[in-house]
Amino acid sequence: MTAKIRLYVQQPLGEGQPVSLPQAQAHYLFGVMRLRAGDTVALFNGTDGEWQAEVTEVGKKGGTLVCRLQSAPLQMPPDLWLLFAPIKKARTDFIVEKATEMGARRIMPVGTDHTNSERIRQDRLQAHAVEAAEQCGGTYVPEVTDLQRLDRLLSDWPEERRLMFCDEAKVGETLGLPTETKPGPWAVLIGPEGGFSRAERERLHGLAFTHPISLGPRILRADTAAVAALTLWQEHLGDWT
Ligand code: SAM
């Protein structure tokens, strides 16, 4: 039977492979979801695909599952990073959750001249990405990096990676999506509530790897803009077609 519950684990998965559960996951499976020996759970670890695993040992502080059958291979999302300036906590959580569902491979909070929040809890955001992957059927969990300054990131930028720069000054212009359709490494950049500073915009426009785009005739909130930009990129250059 295919399991209804999906769990991310940090252990290798393969036929006959036992997986021991930490206390929190044991509590969730056996205390909250009331699973018993013989029940099935879907496991994934971000590298070995999804496996149907049978509960073989039930405990209050732990437990064991054994992988029986691979139910999905690893499906890597396209090589797309999302760079965004963190905003209020709940909206930042939303961006991480949606970027995971939308198939970003790496999620990178960046500090800009007008960034609202200079601190993030990377571990909390990473946990949101795990939860989103569990919910959406993904077999890969994007890495959420620590907050980095955008200017430093641009100085060390890998030249072959194109940057889709969502520029609010282009509001109302035609979208201007890239004309090429071949896959390659890309990133999407979304600014903070206050937008990019003039210096940042000038620098971004001058870089060979940036591709400035408009997101239509209205100014979108940063969280909406992140979802809209990822949708456009996925439809045009990603794994949606
Ligand atoms: N305060 C800024 C202003 O009024 O010009 C708006 C910033 S907007 C809330 C946050 C980010 O979303 C922007 O920095 C940009 O990256 C993106 N964004 C929102 N609407 C956009 C649009 N119509 N075109 C391009 N980017 C947009």
Side-chain angles (χ1 to χ4, degrees):
M1 205 183 93
T2 307
K4 289 202 180 73
I5 301 174
R6 298 185 83 238
L7 273 190
Y8 172 77
V9 293
Q10 286 182 319
Q11 293 168 63
L13 303 175
E15 204 173 330
Q17 176 76 41
V19 176
S20 49
L21 295 174
Q23 189 167 355
Q25 284 182 328
H27 172 72
Y28 171 68
L29 288 187
F30 311 134
V32 180
M33 302 309 290
R34 302 265 160 216
L35 262 57
R36 296 289 167 254
D39 287 340
T40 306
V41 177
L43 301 181
F44 67 104
N45 61 3
T47 51
D48 297 323
E50 181 191 84
W51 285 79
Q52 301 296 311
E54 183 189 338
V55 177
T56 54
E57 277 173 44
V58 175
K60 282 210 166 75
K61 296 195 170 165
T64 308
L65 307 174
V66 175
C67 296
R68 297 294 184 213
L69 187 84
Q70 192 182 40
S71 39
L74 172 68
Q75 194 188 10
M76 287 294 286
D79 191 358
L80 174 67
W81 298 350
L82 172 67
L83 276 60
F84 74 99
I87 40 178
K88 291 194 187 81
K89 188 166 153 287
R91 291 182 179 275
T92 297
D93 292 351
F94 175 93
I95 291 176
V96 170
E97 181 184 294
K98 298 306 157 208
T100 304
E101 293 174 25
M102 304 287 291
R105 197 180 283 192
R106 193 186 235 199
I107 301 172
M108 306 173 76
V110 291
T112 65
D113 292 347
H114 299 157
T115 295
N116 310 61
S117 163
E118 289 302 331
R119 282 163 169 259
I120 56 150
R121 282 271 314 274
Q122 185 276 337
D123 57 338
R124 228 177 46 80
L125 294 179
Q126 187 66 67
H128 273 292
V130 166
E131 214 173 289
E134 287 174 344
Q135 302 276 335
C136 76
T139 48
Y140 176 82
V141 179
E143 175 197 8
V144 182
T145 58
D146 230 327
L147 188 71
Q148 305 171 67
R149 282 286 312 173
L150 177 64
D151 46 8
R152 281 195 221 128
L153 204 53
L154 292 176
S155 300
D156 296 334
W157 193 258
E159 292 279 325
E160 73 285 358
R161 184 174 294 277
R162 313 281 315 275
L163 181 64
M164 193 165 103
F165 159 40
C166 299
D167 180 3
E168 67 272 4
K170 286 186 161 289
V171 63
E173 295 183 17
T174 49
L175 302 189
L177 292 176
T179 47
E180 73 257 44
T181 48
K182 66 175 166 28
W186 272 87
V188 163
L189 172 63
I190 302 292
E193 278 169 13
F196 293 101
S197 68
R198 180 196 286 246
E200 284 169 338
R201 293 191 56 257
E202 277 174 11
R203 180 169 185 204
L204 283 160
H205 277 283
L207 294 168
F209 51 80
T210 48
H211 186 99
I213 66 154
S214 162
L215 292 175
R218 289 165 289 274
I219 297 277
L220 308 178
R221 294 182 81 132
D223 45 350
T224 318
V227 176
L230 290 171
T231 306
L232 287 172
W233 189 91
Q234 278 286 27
E235 198 276 330
H236 192 63
L237 289 160
D239 63 8
W240 285 20
T241 47

